[in-house]
Amino acid sequence: MEAGAPGSAVGGSHRPGIHLFVPMLHRRDAVGEHTRVLRDQLLAAGIPSRIYIDMPDPETADETRPYREYERDAVPGDVLVYQVATRSDMVGWLEHRPERLVLNYHSITPARFFAPWHDGIARAQEAAIEELSGLATRAVLGIGVSEFDAGELRAAGCPSTLVVPVANVGLPLVPPDPAAVAALKGRAVGRGPWWLSVGRLAPNKAHQDTIAALFVARSTTSPGAHLTIVGSAPEPHYGAALRRYVADLGLTGAVEFVSGISAGELAARYAGADVLVMLSEHEGFGVPLVEAMAHGLPVVAYDAGAVAEVVGEAGVLLQSKTPRLVSGEVDRLLNDPGRRMALVEAGRARLAALGLERAGSDLVAVLEKVAASGTSAATP
Amino acid sequence: MTESPDLPEDEQELLEAFARLAPEGSAEWNFENSMRRLSTPAERPTWVGPWSGLPADLWERGRATKASERVMGDVIKVVAQDLTDYTQQAVDELRRFVPEASAVDAAIRSLAARVERLERTADPLGIRPTEFDLPATDAREWARAVPAWLDGGSGLPVVVGELSDRSVLDALADAGVVVEGVDPRGAVFWAAEEAAAAQPDAHRAQFTLRDVVDHLDGLASSSRSGVVLSGCIDRASLAEKLALVDAALAALTPGGTLVLLVADQQAWDAAIDLVSRDLLPGRPFHPDTWAVVLAHRGMADVEVHRAAQGSVHAIVTRKGS
């Protein structure tokens, strides 16, 4: 049993704690991993902390409790931290809890991205935004993982906000899986530049724009260019359309879709690729940007959401992403070793400036301050 | 989606090619766009279009069908959502007076989760069986026999679904039988319509672009003299196979004939790729299995005609009077 699991010594404490509420706790999921890291750091700091969920995941069931059980567990002085990313039935319940509430906001993808693809998800996203409006005014503090997200929190009515990046970015780096590196090297022989795109097969990620740019690149300057898209699909239609698009464009052998791989296998792809192309239209943070910079992989990205904030001067930021423009920018970057090296170096410096290794402890410090003061810890 | 009025035509078309793959609007979302696509004639074909050799507006016709299916699906969803909301309100009201009502609430939530899981089981990949590249059923061996088995019908129409290689449908039409050809695959449907348009008036086939089971379900009871099933009957799951047979028997007039043209199992396994074999909901039944199933359905006389030349067996049975 893990620390903080139901029945553990710390989990059963009668001291005030900082408890985490998340609709679902999944492993290998950005919000899920962030929540688990935060829980572990709170426990390491000697602060009672449990994770309460709405919908159980069998894989994490031994470290979560149904949120209504908190009514039994509540201790005066508790602080409740809600991880905001999707809609949840627990929001209505949280709104009426007397404890101090902190929102840890991970960005809600606007419904318009899902609307043409999946009504259910689109409705859920719209409901999530409505729920955020209800909770924001009730929270003593809103924590965004980027200034972009903090802005969305303020727009929702959150009176006090601050920014602390995600606590689960893989630092120190997971080394590339040697078997995957060997296999990928074998496949790369005789091929052209390798583009990498990492992100769920969700419409806001706009993978189709990367595919269209690859199509142009292969038709013009770079016939051997190939692309790996790493990401799972939250709904079937968009991913199926991407695969159909690849087939229709005659790119079946040039585009590879990968999901469910280990951190080492993903690291092997970062290590082997020539460029990360990220043309997402809504990014609350952009973990792949950080991972690419950490692996010394240059970035070409569309300037949307928090992308510019995370990348800074350490990547090629595009204000438009028409296929020829993206293809041209990637081509120019890959054919200019000096610029490429400069960007890789800038990426390492940018990574240090972001201070992600402190993110978890920073977040704990902020929450401790909320718990101690009984009021907001942020400057409005 | 990146769109710009200043974008060169070829780039614009490249991006539009992807936009066309979206399931498109619905009753709640992008409804105007959905209606525009239903009512607007075909736009120019794209240079990356995958339908070379087929009618230029085939893509749009398929899109319109998909969009209309989507609208209907959403009407059902909205009604279901209203019902759920109403039930939730009722439970909320009840909970105000009876604390134990939270158990009812929990049961509803559990039921909703089960329905969601069931939906995922039913359509886990979002791929329709008709999207797989399957060989057409080669029914030529039985093209002459089927009109004889149907004995010219009783003046009532005969349903042929799916169209396979059209040999059976053509033979029936040539024999003067009123034939309804049904197929859910746009390419097959339009090809059959085009071929029929080139035939003289005596060729009396009519075509419907629809799933065969849906078409049969929509027919009046005892309104057809014969039903010939092929293709769909092979790739369907057990439950879907039974639904097809039951719908066909319901549509048949007493004394009417049901003909199943089923692929030989070994030939089927050899003809389709591994992915299709893994992902399709079903595979052909052995003719003996069909004999058992039809007997279980109350059919007294079941004739099994095994393939002598081709790879398709014929099972013939008649509805009792």
Side-chain angles (χ1 to χ4, degrees), chain B residues 189-245:
Chain B
F189 169 78
W190 293 113
E193 267 216 334
E194 270 193 8
Q199 295 287 326
D201 289 345
H203 203 102
R204 301 163 73 185
Q206 291 184 337
F207 298 98
T208 302
L209 178 62
R210 201 174 184 195
D211 280 326
V212 176
V213 70
D214 293 338
H215 180 79
L216 291 171
D217 275 339
L219 297 176
S221 174
S222 305
S223 61
R224 299 297 185 269
S225 63
V227 176
V228 182
L229 298 178
S230 65
C232 54
I233 201 78
D234 285 335
R235 61 172 185 267
S237 67
L238 170 60
E240 292 163 339
K241 280 180 169 72
L242 296 180
L244 272 164
V245 167

Side-chain angles (χ1 to χ4, degrees), chain B residues 254-282:
Chain B
T257 307
L258 172 64
V259 179
L260 307 181
L261 300 175
V262 300
D264 180 79
Q265 289 179 331
Q266 286 186 350
W268 170 270
D269 287 342
I272 67 171
D273 61 86
L274 286 170
V275 175
S276 302
R277 208 186 305 169
D278 284 345
L279 295 182
L280 281 170

Side-chain angles (χ1 to χ4, degrees), chain B residues 114-148:
Chain B
R114 286 179 63 187
V115 168
E116 217 166 82
R117 279 200 299 278
L118 190 63
E119 283 174 351
R120 281 203 296 272
T121 309
D123 185 19
L125 292 175
I127 304 175
R128 284 164 59 91
T130 49
E131 291 178 34
F132 290 98
D133 185 20
L134 301 176
T137 305
D138 182 356
R140 285 175 297 177
E141 184 174 353
W142 309 110
R144 286 190 174 190
V146 171

